Amino acid sequence: MRILVDGRGLLESPRWHGGRLYFADWSAGEVLAVAPDGGGTEVVARVDSLPLCIAWLPGDRLIIVDSRRGRLLRREPGGALVPHAELGRPGWNDIAADGRGNIYVNGAGFDPMAGQEFAPGAVFRAADVVLPAADDIAFPNGMAVTPDDRTLIVADSYRHHLLAFDIGPDGALANRRVWAELGTGVPDGICIDAEGAVWYADVPNRCCVRVAAGGAELQRVTVDRGAFACALGGSTLFVTAARWQGMTAAQMVEPGSGQVLAIEVAVPNA
């Protein structure tokens, strides 16, 4: 395993695009890009938001979740950030987009960083208005769309499984089902490979795990700190990791412990 980036904060939301890995440093409020050899790290956007997640839309448009202000931002070719959609309230987490431009965002039903009492979260579709798409997800985390744009997979960290939803022609979600039971696994960020398997990152268990539909474990990669999210770029699995200190800690990860790791795997990205 190689260390591509070191000495950062809470790293999340890795996305492979245009031959580079994009990711967010939640501690610094930055979206960065790095070459697959670890060179040329570049800050491409600064947004003071926690959480801070990203997705790419068709047409080479980078979308950033400004959770603190309850909106989506779009990065213009010159680097300026402009409003893309209003989400109506703060408190959003992950984002995924399909090849038709449908955008899905999720959020918990409580603020864990403020120590609020648990309430289940949901997935919403950001269109001209923000539409509820799927509710009663205990703690919605990573999301990914299958290459045929027909299925959205959502990690439910608290219930230890991956959910799947059919994506309709209008972008609506239907046919909710458990895609994989993970036992003691705690899925955070996820990605899909060319064989239809899902990799999920796991903070408390300090690993990334590749599973088939149903939950059979196919491969496991262990790390020495919490694994927050993962992405495939070709046959390289990129992992964002940091030393976890707790949701209500003054700093959720140990300062300077954030890394981007890379390891070669047998099956490339979808």
Side-chain angles (χ1 to χ4, degrees):
M1 185 173 287
R2 297 174 285 130
I3 300 175
L4 297 189
V5 177
D6 200 2
R8 302 291 311 196
L10 174 48
L11 302 187
E12 266 276 13
S13 198
R15 306 286 189 257
W16 179 256
H17 182 81
R20 294 199 295 174
L21 182 76
Y22 291 75
F23 61 96
D25 185 333
W26 290 12
S27 304
E30 295 177 340
V31 178
L32 305 101
V34 64
D37 62 359
T41 302
E42 174 192 2
V43 177
V44 299
R46 288 185 170 89
V47 182
D48 178 21
S49 176
L50 184 71
L52 177 62
C53 291
I54 62 174
W56 287 92
L57 291 181
D60 207 39
R61 296 173 293 168
L62 176 64
I63 302 295
I64 302 172
V65 181
D66 184 352
S67 177
R68 182 164 290 164
R69 297 161 189 84
R71 60 183 180 173
L72 300 180
L73 301 174
R74 184 179 69 251
R75 186 178 185 271
E76 298 290 84
L81 297 179
V82 300
H84 184 81
E86 294 294 331
L87 301 177
R89 61 170 176 82
W92 303 91
N93 186 20
D94 207 4
I95 180 173
D98 68 15
R100 294 171 292 186
N102 291 309
I103 299 174
Y104 301 94
V105 291
N106 67 33
F110 67 111
D111 184 351
M113 290 177 280
Q116 290 182 359
E117 185 177 348
F118 166 79
V123 175
F124 293 78
R125 181 162 58 96
D128 295 331
V129 295
V130 179
L131 303 171
D135 60 5
D136 191 28
I137 303 173
F139 197 94
N141 234 318
M143 299 190 292
V145 176
T146 56
D148 59 8
D149 289 331
R150 297 178 62 181
T151 307
L152 176 71
I153 298 178
V154 182
D156 189 335
S157 299
Y158 282 10
R159 291 189 178 129
H160 308 281
H161 59 212
L162 302 176
L163 294 169
F165 301 87
D166 294 342
I167 302 175
D170 61 351
L173 302 182
N175 189 25
R176 175 190 181 125
R177 58 203 180 273
V178 174
W179 191 87
E181 291 284 4
L182 305 177
T184 59
V186 185
D188 198 327
I190 66 173
C191 63
I192 301 172
D193 70 21
E195 292 183 351
V198 171
W199 282 94
Y200 72 87
D202 188 322
V203 174
N205 292 309
R206 298 185 176 188
C207 61
C208 283
V209 184
R210 180 176 182 249
V211 293
E217 183 174 319
L218 305 174
Q219 187 176 350
R220 178 179 292 252
V221 174
T222 58
V223 294
D224 67 350
R225 60 201 67 195
F228 286 84
C230 53
L232 284 163
S235 296
T236 303
L237 180 71
F238 298 98
V239 182
T240 57
R243 299 192 187 281
W244 179 243
Q245 298 191 135
M247 195 78 75
T248 58
Q251 297 188 69
M252 290 188 289
V253 301
E254 179 184 311
S257 69
Q259 296 179 328
V260 177
L261 308 169
I263 186 170
E264 301 308 307
V265 295
V267 182
N269 58 295

